[in-house]
Amino acid sequence: MNPRYPLPELTDLPDDIRQRILDVQAKAGFVPNVFLMLARRPAEWRAFFAYHDALMMPETVGRTSNLTKGEREMIVVATSAANQCLYCVVAHGAILRIYEKKPLIADQVAINYRKADISPRQRAILDFAMKVCQQSHAIDDADFAALHAHGLDDEDIWDIAAITAFFGLSNRMASFSGMQPNDEFYLLGRLPKVK
């Protein structure tokens, strides 16, 4: 399936966006389609990736977090699966496999995180994320207490909710636009890296 909106040419993008995309390409070896799809509207691209980076890489904005990079990606994979977003499940599943160094983890989390090979803390994080994803109006003090019991504080809980909400937006943008995962994502983290 082709995307519903044409991807812009890299040469037609503003310098700051083009440079960030080239940096991603140099690191990953390819340009994830989300970078080009959203670049069709530069102001929205900048806002999207500024918030993405603040949530997924808090150290870039001078903030620390008790959530690991793998836990952040687990939230994205589980909630994106609930939202039926192919792009985000596949792309963030690849990143999850790499961070956790577990080739099966993304599939497990996407299909049924309750049966996945994850810790009780991670299961509690995903229970909360799924409630935010599907029933945010029903969040109450007991939900906070369940996370506090695993050593998570209120700032960590904010992170879980914000990541869930942000990727709810991302899921919907990817789905309505017909954004497809790059082929490269499907194998990342599944096989040992060839040197």
Side-chain angles (χ1 to χ4, degrees), residues 24-174:
V24 168
Q25 182 179 34
K27 184 175 180 183
F30 64 99
V31 177
N33 288 334
V34 67
F35 283 87
L36 289 174
M37 178 65 76
L38 297 181
R40 58 188 312 280
R41 292 190 171 188
E44 292 174 30
W45 187 98
R46 290 181 186 103
F48 180 92
F49 282 104
Y51 196 33
H52 171 277
D53 294 352
L55 291 173
M56 301 304 283
M57 300 179 288
E59 65 280 1
T60 64
V61 293
R63 194 170 63 78
T64 59
S65 173
N66 292 317
L67 296 178
T68 68
K69 290 179 179 183
E71 288 167 344
R72 291 170 188 282
E73 295 298 335
M74 280 181 199
I75 295 165
V76 178
V77 172
T79 60
S80 295
N83 291 328
Q84 299 182 48
C85 179
L86 177 65
Y87 185 89
C88 292
V89 169
V90 173
H92 289 274
I95 299 167
L96 173 57
R97 288 189 298 272
I98 291 166
Y99 285 154
E100 292 293 307
K101 297 176 178 49
K102 294 180 178 179
L104 308 179
I105 191 71
D107 300 314
Q108 294 171 352
V109 168
I111 299 300
N112 185 350
Y113 73 89
R114 289 177 186 92
K115 295 188 180 212
D117 181 21
I118 60 176
S119 71
R121 168 192 155 105
Q122 292 166 335
R123 190 165 288 109
I125 288 169
L126 295 183
D127 284 340
F128 184 79
M130 292 301 287
K131 191 165 182 182
V132 170
C133 177
Q134 298 173 324
Q135 297 179 298
S136 59
H137 62 280
I139 297 290
D140 59 26
D141 291 343
D143 297 304
F144 278 69
L147 291 168
H148 292 156
H150 288 282
L152 296 156
D153 64 25
D154 288 350
E155 293 304 313
D156 301 324
I157 295 169
W158 181 286
D159 284 344
I160 296 164
I163 291 165
T164 300
F166 175 79
F167 279 94
L169 164 84
S170 182
N171 296 160
R172 285 154 180 82
M173 294 300 291

